[in-house]
Amino acid sequence: MIRCDKDGDLWAVTIDRPEKAGALTRQMLTELAEIAEAAQGARALILTGTGQVFSAGADLEAAKAGLATDPVWERLSGAIARLPGLTIAALNGTVAGGAFGMVLACDLRIAVPRANFFYPVMKLGFLPQPSDPPRLTALVGPARAKMILMAGQKVSAVDADAWGLVDQVCEPDQLIPQARALCSDVQAAAPAHAAAIKAMIPAGGAVNGN
C-alpha cells in the first residue's frame, strides 16, 4: 500500500490504496516515516497518491483504536521536514484530517483541480497534531487556519492556491511530470549546495526543530 520508487537520487513515494481513499493505517504511517528517515541522501522526494483522493486521513477502524492521536503522525511529518533535499507533495486529490501533516511538512505542494482540503478536528473532537497548526498558519495566516481547523471549512484547490496552501494547480496528467520538473535544479546541484540554500529559508511554523 506504500510504494517507494527510486530514480537515482529522486525518491517517489506513493500511497497506493485507492479503494479506501488513501486511508492510513498505523503500519502505513510507520512505513512512510521509515522511508522519510532513510531518505536523508535523496536530493528530492515526491509524495503522491493514487485514485481520486490523496488521503482521507486515518483509516476508520484504526482511528477508533486510537490512531488519530498516535505520535506516529508527528514522527512522519518531522522526518519529512528534516530532509535536506526538496520535498514536494503532488496531490492527486483530496487531503483530509491527519494526512495534512505530511503535506504541510513538504517544501512545495502542487494539486489537481479536483482536490479539496479539510481537517475536521473540531467536529471529531480531536486536537490536530502539534506541528500542523503552526505550519498551516505560516502558509495561510491565522484567520484562514481557523477557517479550516475551527470552522471546518472545506477548501477547493482554487481557493487553496489563492490562499497559499498549494503552490500550483495542474491537470492530473501533468502532476508527476511537473513535480519532477520542479526537482530538476536540485538534482543538478551539489547536495550540500541545495541543503545550504534550504537551510537559509525559514521553515514556517517549525516546532521543536521540525
Side-chain angles (χ1 to χ4, degrees), residues 130-195:
S131 66
D132 292 355
R135 288 193 179 117
L136 179 61
T137 302
L139 293 173
V140 304
R144 286 169 173 166
K146 290 171 185 173
M147 287 278 285
I148 294 169
L149 294 173
M150 299 186 73
Q153 293 298 292
K154 182 179 289 188
V155 181
S156 68
V158 171
D159 285 342
D161 186 29
W163 288 11
L165 181 56
V166 300
D167 303 296
Q168 290 182 351
V169 176
C170 55
E171 293 303 318
D173 63 343
Q174 291 301 307
L175 184 68
I176 299 304
Q178 177 61 9
R180 287 179 171 270
L182 290 169
C183 296
S184 60
D185 280 7
V186 168
Q187 287 184 277
H193 182 60

Side-chain angles (χ1 to χ4, degrees), residues 16-174:
D16 189 9
R17 201 187 184 196
E19 73 283 2
K20 293 290 185 178
L24 297 159
T25 64
R26 192 181 193 289
Q27 180 179 347
M28 292 169 69
L29 286 163
T30 299
E31 189 172 350
L32 285 166
E34 289 173 346
I35 290 170
E37 289 164 353
Q40 291 297 314
R43 297 194 190 189
L45 182 145
I46 296 170
L47 183 61
T48 192
T50 56
Q52 301 292 305
V53 177
F54 171 74
S55 176
D59 176 89
L60 183 59
E61 292 305 313
K64 291 178 182 177
L67 182 61
T69 57
D70 195 291
V72 69
W73 300 95
E74 282 290 292
R75 177 186 171 190
L76 170 56
S77 62
I80 292 172
R82 288 190 296 271
L83 288 174
L86 184 66
T87 56
I88 299 176
L91 303 170
N92 56 294
T94 291
V95 179
F100 254 82
M102 69 183 94
V103 170
L104 293 170
C106 287
D107 298 314
L108 301 174
R109 284 150 293 280
I110 63 176
V112 298
R114 65 170 173 255
N116 287 296
F117 301 81
F118 61 102
Y119 200 158
V121 282
M122 185 64 72
K123 179 185 293 186
L124 296 175
F126 297 119
L127 289 176
Q129 296 303 315
S131 66
D132 292 355
R135 288 193 179 117
L136 179 61
T137 302
L139 293 173
V140 304
R144 286 169 173 166
K146 290 171 185 173
M147 287 278 285
I148 294 169
L149 294 173
M150 299 186 73
Q153 293 298 292
K154 182 179 289 188
V155 181
S156 68
V158 171
D159 285 342
D161 186 29
W163 288 11
L165 181 56
V166 300
D167 303 296
Q168 290 182 351
V169 176
C170 55
E171 293 303 318
D173 63 343
Q174 291 301 307

